[in-house]
Amino acid sequence: MNNLETENYTKITHFILVGVSGQPLLQIILFLLGLTMYLITVIGNSLIIVLIILDSRLHTPMYFFLSNLSLLDICGSTSTAPQSLINCLQDYPSISYNACYAEMGISMCLAVTECFLLSIMAYDRFVAISSPLRYMLIMNKTVCLSLAVASWIIAFLTSIIPMLVMPVSFCGQNVVNHFACEMQAVLKLVCSDTSTSLTLVFIGSVFTLILPFGFIIVSYLRILIAVLKIRSVEGRLKAFSTCGSHLTVVTIYYGTLIYMYAKPQSKESEDKDKIISIFYGAVTPMLNPLIYTLRNKDVKGALKKIMGKSKA
């Protein structure tokens, strides 16, 4: 980041994180709750990846993207959860300046990648339902791999690079009203004119949130049109069932992210933002394996198959 400190401003070497609560008992409760959610996230998403690798029936484009989503959830949670759990047990947790920006950059890159990946998954469902006979031809291995790699590259270009070139200056205030290094909470400490920075954040959120979300809406409208052309009720229900899990994840994930980033920003810090960030940062990654397992017959079948082999 350029122009980070000037001669008139105090150099910032670390940030103090406020956290969610200062009460010892509540800190322990939050630590145990957070640890449980983190373990469920890692174990659940790892299980989905293992099932997709081991079961040849799941070697399809849909499950290739699902395994990528699970990997993103593991990486996203691991980038913030361990440090946040440690902070829960401290009254005045602190983090170095460089570590804070590294955590912030990694989290943003992973979150943006997931936004693009969810839009790719919507397109995959559209092709599968509208062109079932040409599905494997259109969504071949090269196309799937290219789309996955493109989502990572675009996420890097639209999240990490803007952070490096965004001009900000701190005036010595280093208390972040958050339990982690969240971009909006850190930007609220900037004493220089933040109108440009906040505008860039808003423009970036439109490109990385609103446009992918709009693409998802268009994809599902076209899916709806394709499903309505199916004559049998059973065929329609089967088509809708393949989209239910994805729609549930999209609603939770995009709903919280759009509320946080696609609204006009201010320098006032709000406690409710911390609660909202828990949903897209911890709750959604934890729910993803449960949603895709409970609502997906193929995944449940693969799980039973693996468990049956282990018992034998």
Side-chain angles (χ1 to χ4, degrees):
M1 205 172 261
N2 63 343
N3 300 331
L4 191 57
E5 298 98 14
T6 65
E7 296 180 357
N8 297 327
Y9 297 146
T10 304
K11 182 179 180 180
I12 296 294
T13 59
H14 69 282
F15 293 103
I16 298 174
L17 304 175
V18 173
V20 179
S21 174
Q23 300 179 11
L25 179 59
L26 188 54
Q27 286 178 343
I28 296 175
I29 294 175
L30 291 173
F31 171 80
L32 294 175
L33 180 61
L35 179 61
T36 302
M37 294 173 66
Y38 176 64
L39 291 176
I40 292 175
T41 298
V42 174
I43 295 173
N45 284 289
S46 298
L47 179 61
I48 285 183
I49 294 174
V50 171
L51 289 175
I52 292 173
I53 293 174
L54 295 180
D55 196 323
S56 58
R57 294 176 301 176
L58 301 182
H59 293 176
T60 63
M62 183 178 83
Y63 294 108
F64 168 76
F65 293 125
L66 177 57
S67 64
N68 276 264
L69 180 64
S70 294
L71 178 61
L72 278 172
D73 286 337
I74 293 173
C75 294
S77 297
T78 304
S79 68
T80 56
Q83 183 64 48
S84 298
L85 290 173
I86 295 173
N87 295 342
C88 283
L89 302 177
Q90 300 177 3
D91 291 331
Y92 300 100
S94 62
I95 183 172
S96 69
Y97 174 87
N98 291 331
C100 181
Y101 267 88
E103 177 184 312
M104 193 161 52
I106 293 171
S107 298
M108 283 189 60
C109 184
L110 293 172
V112 173
T113 304
E114 186 158 342
C115 287
F116 287 114
L117 184 61
L118 287 173
S119 64
I120 292 171
M121 293 173 73
Y123 174 74
D124 171 74
R125 290 298 81 210
F126 163 69
V127 175
I129 292 173
S130 62
S131 305
L133 299 179
R134 300 176 60 237
Y135 173 57
M136 294 304 297
L137 180 63
I138 297 174
M139 301 299 291
N140 56 65
K141 291 183 179 180
T142 302
V143 171
C144 291
L145 185 60
S146 299
L147 289 173
V149 172
S151 65
W152 282 90
I153 294 176
I154 295 174
F156 177 81
L157 295 175
T158 56
S159 59
I160 301 297
I161 292 181
M163 281 184 58
L164 297 176
V165 300
M166 190 183 299
V168 296
S169 299
F170 294 95
C171 302
Q173 296 183 11
N174 65 340
V175 179
V176 180
N177 186 21
H178 210 279
F179 54 83
C181 284
E182 200 273 334
M183 184 174 183
Q184 286 188 349
V186 173
L187 281 179
K188 287 176 172 55
L189 302 180
V190 175
C191 63
S192 56
D193 184 12
T194 59
S195 58
T196 302
S197 299
L198 293 175
T199 301
L200 289 174
V201 171
F202 179 75
I203 294 174
S205 66
V206 170
F207 181 75
T208 59
L209 286 175
I210 304 300
L211 290 183
F213 185 62
F215 182 81
I216 291 173
I217 292 176
V218 172
S219 296
Y220 272 103
L221 287 175
R222 298 183 68 179
I223 287 174
L224 179 61
I225 295 173
V227 169
L228 292 177
K229 293 180 180 179
I230 300 176
R231 295 183 179 181
S232 67
V233 177
E234 183 180 353
R236 291 181 180 179
L237 292 176
K238 184 178 180 180
F240 277 127
S241 67
T242 64
C243 304
S245 300
H246 181 259
L247 271 176
T248 304
V249 172
V250 167
T251 301
I252 299 173
Y253 189 72
Y254 271 94
T256 52
L257 276 181
I258 289 174
Y259 175 82
M260 281 287 293
Y261 293 99
K263 64 178 181 179
Q265 305 298 325
S266 68
K267 292 198 68 173
E268 296 181 3
S269 184
E270 300 180 1
D271 288 336
K272 64 180 180 180
D273 289 346
K274 291 187 282 187
I275 306 301
I276 297 297
S277 66
I278 292 176
F279 273 90
Y280 70 78
V283 176
T284 303
M286 179 189 68
L287 291 179
N288 282 355
L290 298 176
I291 292 172
Y292 280 102
T293 301
L294 295 176
R295 296 180 60 91
N296 193 299
K297 294 181 180 179
D298 294 334
V299 175
K300 287 191 290 185
L303 181 60
K304 291 178 181 178
K305 181 181 177 181
I306 298 299
M307 290 179 66
K309 286 183 177 180
S310 62
K311 289 180 180 179

